[in-house]
């Protein structure tokens, strides 16, 4: 489903249409609406960025998404490179072995070198929480190998919460901001972003070792439907509910309360799912009704690298704020 944030989307498309690329030979004409983009943005596919967003801003190198590997049985798939959704769904339903890994430092090195060749002066590289993956470490190893300055950012979050930070970084870079300003703008947005989610079972999180403090709930796993959150980069238990229906209803209440604390007109919502699109659409419709001040929630499948740990039937809601500089 397309990204739905009309003010930021329109602003950025207008801005990009006026940009002078770093490698351009045409002189920059003084224009208050033009800027020289000197900072490229790199992220990983755990950011769950909408496909149209990635395609719109990756062709000129200003945005690069490094695929996260997912292993189903003996086969290795690259998130975004291979059509893995059906394969992963079948594997999860069958209880087959599913594992994930970080991208190699070489993949990040190639992304940074590509930005340098295109004429960018710096890179801001924003990645999945270091509490859940070694991706940040791989990016830092690569950053030490290249001459172009690279600022590696641990997002301390996942999914579109990370993605909203990446979008904010792209917006700031399009505004002509330097590396420090791009990082700062993205970090402020990610710090203001919350992730809440419901999983029918904790089993897949247990298998992947991502369950953290919720491990104490394993003894009653069949009797509860957990609501979880991401806090400090870790998955933490929020509430235990006795039925799936009540769990989803409680998730809606938590999200509506969180939205009410945000500045009017700046709230954003995203809904992730895996293997349960109809449920996600129903959840998004109810949230739109409960939060009329928000644009309609973006709906997207959870990236395979995250779905491999959350399992089938997950429903996640990200509460964030607008990415436009004027906000």
């Amino acid at each position: 489903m397309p990204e739905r944030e009309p003010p930021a989307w329109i602003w950025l498309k207008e801005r990009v249409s006026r940009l002078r690329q770093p490698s351009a030979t045409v002189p920059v004409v003084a224009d208050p609406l033009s800027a020289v983009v000197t900072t490229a943005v790199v992220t990983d596919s755990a950011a769950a960025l909408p496909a149209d967003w990635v395609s719109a801003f990756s062709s000129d190198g200003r945005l690069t998404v490094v695929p996260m590997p997912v292993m189903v049985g003996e086969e290795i798939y690259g998130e975004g490179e291979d059509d893995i959704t059906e394969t992963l769904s079948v594997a999860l339903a069958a209880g087959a072995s599913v594992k994930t890994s970080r991208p190699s430092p070489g993949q990040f090195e190639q992304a940074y070198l590509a930005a340098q060749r295109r004429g960018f002066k710096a890179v801001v590289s924003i990645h999945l929480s270091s509490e859940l993956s070694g991706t940040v470490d791989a990016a830092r190893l690569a950053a030490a190998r290249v001459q172009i300055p690279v600022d590696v950012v641990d997002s301390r979050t996942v999914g579109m919460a990370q993605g909203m930070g990446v979008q904010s970084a792209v917006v700031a870079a399009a505004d002509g901001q330097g590396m420090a300003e791009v990082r700062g703008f993205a970090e402020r947005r990610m710090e203001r972003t919350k992730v809440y989610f419901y999983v029918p079972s904790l089993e897949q999180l247990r298998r992947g070792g991502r369950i953290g403090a919720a491990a104490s709930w394993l003894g009653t796993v069949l009797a509860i439907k957990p609501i979880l959150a991401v806090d400090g980069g870790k998955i933490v238990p929020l509430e235990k509910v006795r039925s799936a229906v009540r769990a989803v209803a409680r998730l809606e209440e938590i999200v509506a309360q969180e939205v009410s604390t945000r500045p009017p007109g700046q709230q954003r919502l995203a809904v992730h799912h895996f293997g349960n699109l109809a449920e996600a659409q129903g959840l998004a419709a109810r949230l739109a009704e409960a939060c009329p001040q928000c644009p309609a929630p973006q709906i997207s499948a959870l990236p395979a690298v995250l779905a491999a740990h959350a399992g089938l039937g997950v429903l996640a809601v990200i509460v964030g704020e607008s990415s436009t500089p004027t906000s």
Side-chain angles (χ1 to χ4, degrees):
M1 184 172 180
E3 167 67 21
R4 294 185 178 182
E5 189 196 2
W9 181 252
I10 293 171
W11 182 93
L12 187 53
K13 285 199 294 187
E14 290 178 348
R15 172 71 64 169
V16 169
S17 70
R18 296 170 178 265
L19 291 175
R20 302 292 191 267
Q21 292 305 309
S23 58
T25 57
V26 179
V28 176
V29 178
D31 182 346
L33 291 179
S34 73
V36 176
V37 180
T38 60
T39 304
V41 179
V42 173
T43 189
D44 54 71
S45 56
L49 290 166
D52 64 327
W53 223 93
V54 174
S55 62
F57 302 110
S58 60
S59 61
D60 60 3
R62 73 181 63 233
L63 172 65
T64 300
V65 180
V66 176
M68 299 281 287
V70 178
M71 290 158 281
V72 180
E74 299 300 319
E75 297 293 326
I76 300 177
Y77 299 86
E79 177 98 58
E81 296 179 324
D82 303 305
D83 186 4
I84 188 179
T85 302
E86 184 175 350
T87 301
L88 180 59
S89 297
V90 171
L92 290 172
S97 174
V98 176
K99 298 179 181 179
T100 62
S101 181
R102 71 182 191 182
S104 70
Q107 288 175 277
F108 289 118
E109 183 175 357
Q110 289 304 310
Y112 303 152
L113 291 174
Q116 184 176 15
R117 287 193 298 270
R118 285 181 174 269
F120 292 96
K121 304 303 181 186
V123 176
V124 172
S125 201
I126 304 172
H127 300 292
L128 172 64
S129 172
S130 62
E131 297 288 347
L132 302 174
S133 169
T135 302
V136 167
D137 292 333
R140 287 175 177 154
L141 286 171
R145 299 176 182 174
V146 297
Q147 292 184 337
I148 185 173
V150 179
D151 197 346
V152 178
V153 181
D154 181 351
S155 72
R156 308 292 290 176
T157 191
V158 297
M160 265 305 293
Q162 174 188 341
M164 289 179 185
V166 174
Q167 289 178 322
S168 296
V170 172
V171 167
D175 198 38
Q177 301 299 307
M179 182 171 68
E181 292 77 15
V182 169
R183 175 186 179 132
F185 189 54
E187 284 187 320
R188 288 192 294 274
R189 280 295 173 265
M190 290 186 293
E191 288 168 1
R192 294 279 297 161
T193 304
K194 300 291 185 182
V195 180
Y196 302 104
F197 64 107
Y198 153 75
V199 291
S201 168
L202 292 171
E203 176 60 20
Q204 202 62 30
L205 284 168
R206 181 195 67 78
R207 288 185 181 184
R210 272 34 177 218
I211 202 168
S216 62
W217 290 1
L218 282 172
T220 57
V221 67
L222 296 178
I224 65 165
K225 299 299 178 183
I227 298 176
L228 308 168
V230 175
D231 186 27
K234 300 178 181 179
I235 296 174
V236 298
L238 207 59
E239 294 186 11
K240 294 184 285 186
V241 186
R242 290 291 178 180
S243 74
V245 172
R246 291 178 62 185
V248 175
R250 181 60 184 139
L251 178 63
E252 294 170 19
E253 293 173 355
I254 292 169
V255 169
Q257 175 59 36
E258 181 66 40
V259 168
S260 71
T261 67
R262 303 309 174 97
Q266 293 186 26
Q267 306 98 324
R268 286 185 63 189
L269 288 174
V271 174
H272 290 315
H273 63 90
F274 197 77
N276 52 334
L277 174 59
E279 284 187 276
Q281 291 171 332
L283 173 59
R286 293 190 297 275
L287 288 174
E289 184 176 350
C291 308
Q293 66 274 44
C294 277
Q298 171 199 308
I299 305 173
S300 61
L302 200 66
V305 69
L306 302 181
H309 297 289
L312 290 168
V314 60
L315 288 172
V317 182
I318 289 82
V319 184
E321 295 177 8
S322 172
S323 297
T324 51
T326 52
S327 67

